[in-house]
Amino acid sequence: MRTVWDKIQKIINIILPAIGIGLMIFYEVCDTSCSYLQGTFAGVDLKYIGIVFMAALLAISLPPASRYETPVNHLRTMLLAGALGGEILLIHFQIVHETYCPFCIAFGLCILILFTSNIGKMNKYIAAGSLVVGVVVFWLFFDGSVLPLYS
């Protein structure tokens, strides 16, 4: 039997990835302080990584997962915890360079809300391991720069 929280969680798991995709699309046309920030993950622009990531979260939230509930929850746990680990480094990058992107921060907030709303169904060991892996992988493969735009 589905509780009210399960229904709210399902809505969150659909709406926030859609918002995240929208944020990355708008980030593409950003002409404020965001345009100073550039970043890649293993040579791929972070905007595209963000869109693919949120599309994957959205895809695993759409079909009824009753038959595959446990593997889907584990996959969601790994994706969200790993992304949260990566976001820690990305926010740190903005703080160190004192250049902030509202789209990037909002995207990170989407990940944080998704993580906290799903934490009750997460395997804590998988979440902890994935968070550490996310930090390490982003530390190894993230390449960012702050390019001043002169006019």
Side-chain angles (χ1 to χ4, degrees):
M1 179 185 222
R2 292 180 62 120
T3 65
V4 172
W5 174 247
D6 287 336
K7 291 177 184 175
I8 292 170
Q9 186 180 39
K10 178 83 171 162
I11 292 168
I12 290 170
N13 285 339
I14 292 171
I15 290 177
L16 284 180
I19 290 171
I21 291 169
L23 285 168
M24 290 299 94
I25 291 169
F26 282 122
Y27 176 69
E28 181 72 31
V29 296
C30 178
D31 62 353
T32 62
S33 63
C34 311
S35 57
Y36 294 126
L37 292 172
Q38 306 246 334
T40 62
F41 180 83
V44 179
D45 192 315
L46 284 177
K47 291 182 286 266
Y48 305 120
I49 300 276
I51 290 170
V52 169
F53 173 79
M54 287 297 192
L57 282 176
L58 184 60
I60 65 173
S61 296
L62 290 178
S66 59
R67 183 172 167 187
Y68 305 106
E69 186 172 359
T70 300
V72 166
N73 283 337
H74 288 338
L75 177 60
R76 183 179 292 114
T77 297
M78 289 185 283
L79 288 171
L80 289 173
L84 189 60
E87 283 296 329
I88 290 169
L89 289 182
L90 294 175
I91 297 297
H92 175 262
F93 181 82
Q94 291 183 51
I95 292 169
V96 166
H97 294 285
E98 296 180 353
T99 304
Y100 304 96
C101 170
F103 293 109
C104 301
I105 293 169
F107 187 87
L109 188 58
C110 285
I111 290 173
L112 181 62
I113 293 169
L114 281 162
F115 181 85
T116 55
S117 70
N118 285 283
I119 201 162
K121 292 184 177 181
M122 290 183 178
N123 177 303
K124 306 310 183 242
Y125 298 110
I126 293 174
S130 297
L131 184 99
V132 170
V133 168
V135 169
V136 170
V137 168
F138 260 81
W139 181 71
L140 291 172
F141 296 105
F142 170 69
D143 183 29
S145 61
V146 180
L147 304 172
L149 298 176
Y150 301 104
S151 26

